[in-house]
Amino acid sequence: MRAGTVAVRRFASSLPVVDVSAFQKDPNGVSRDHIQQADALKNAFTNQGFALLEGHGMTTEAMDEVIDATRTFFNQSDDYKQQYNMKGYRGYQRVGVNMTKQKRDAHEALDFFREPTPVVTGILGDYCNQWPGTPDTFQTVMSCYVSHLMETGDAVMAAISRGLDVHPDVIKKWMKDPFWILRAISYPPASKREVGGDWGEGCGEHTDYGFLTFLLTDGTDNALEVQTLDGHWLPVCDIPKGTFIINIGDMLSHLTGGLYRATPHRVKSTALQRVSVPFFFEPSWDAVITPLPGIAVSSHAQETFSGGRHYGDHLTSKVLSNFRLENL
């Protein structure tokens, strides 16, 4: 983007496109691009909670490698994939193991969390990640993906601080040792999935849990749907190649007193297999998130978002309710 150009435009998806290249280069900069990009991000997160992200610095070739590695793994035999069945919620889940609101989700997935540290308590601190051997580049490709998006997450949080007129150190206190989550997901074609009974969508209506979600997809249209302020569902389509879909989670909504929306979303099954690789940029495990001072919100929001919320406890409670383990 050239200096001085507008930081938001519209695609058929109706999601705003936000460029954070200025913050990637210099998270503490004060140029006109910094101001425009921070304001654009604030507008997107206030009104929709979702945006399309440009200027993140990851090449389209590297993004394609992530999608290709994901598709290669899920195209292996069931016997091979089930060698990596979940242990401590890290690993493979076949279709129907993941649950949303008591309905079985029509997708299979491979889940990774930041490796355990002494501060990570409970089941998520008991096991290490299970990296598949096919393709043989899987761990390398995904580790590079994680490293890059950790840096991008820092840049986006710097832009959020600027947009809220908050010193970056104020928010950084909740990110001293940030946690992360990575999911590789495959949604089977609509013609090959179960329907009715206790089956729901490809992934049922939900909000994400932490600060930021960076979603990389294979470009399939009309799968992801975002709920608008008036309760309608907006299909996301025409995703420009080389962009991420970015949205905020419960913890960032809480941090902003509800000013930024953790927007409900869901995934519908489509005619073809769809793969996606969401990365969740999280607070420190032991962070107790409280609303930032001085943010004007409604009295209802003040009541809803008052007090502190422990990230690790919040994540654990969500993970423990997300799976029907007898379906493994």
Side-chain angles (χ1 to χ4, degrees), residues 95 106-108 186-194 202 269-274:
V95 176
H107 70 256
E108 55 182 331
S186 174
Y187 298 88
S191 61
K192 295 184 178 181
R193 56 151 295 180
E194 298 286 341
S269 298
T270 57
L272 301 175
Q273 178 198 35
R274 173 182 180 263

Side-chain angles (χ1 to χ4, degrees), residues 2 5 12 25 38 41 61-62 66 84 87 97 142 145-146 150 169 180 190 193 198 215 217 250 257 288 290 305 307:
R2 297 188 304 274
T5 57
K25 295 173 183 174
L41 196 64
E61 291 79 11
V66 173
Y84 302 98
K87 296 178 182 177
V97 172
M142 294 301 180
Y145 182 65
V146 169
M150 289 298 290
D169 289 346
W180 58 261
R193 56 151 295 180
D198 62 350
L215 176 63
T217 80
D250 298 334
V288 178
T290 55
F305 294 99

Side-chain angles (χ1 to χ4, degrees), residues 20-29 34 41 53 55-56 146-162 168-169 171-180 211-214 246 279-284:
V20 293
S21 56
F23 289 92
Q24 282 282 126
K25 295 173 183 174
D26 180 6
N28 299 313
H34 283 87
L41 196 64
L53 186 71
H56 48 74
V146 169
S147 295
H148 186 92
L149 288 179
M150 289 298 290
E151 294 178 1
T152 303
D154 285 338
V156 173
M157 294 304 291
I160 287 171
S161 296
R162 178 64 52 78
D169 289 346
I171 291 181
K172 283 180 180 178
K173 72 179 183 180
W174 288 294
M175 300 163 48
K176 293 178 180 177
D177 192 22
F179 200 70
W180 58 261
F211 273 168
L212 299 167
T213 302
F214 297 91
I246 183 173
F279 175 79
F280 303 90
F281 180 88
E282 310 291 87
S284 301

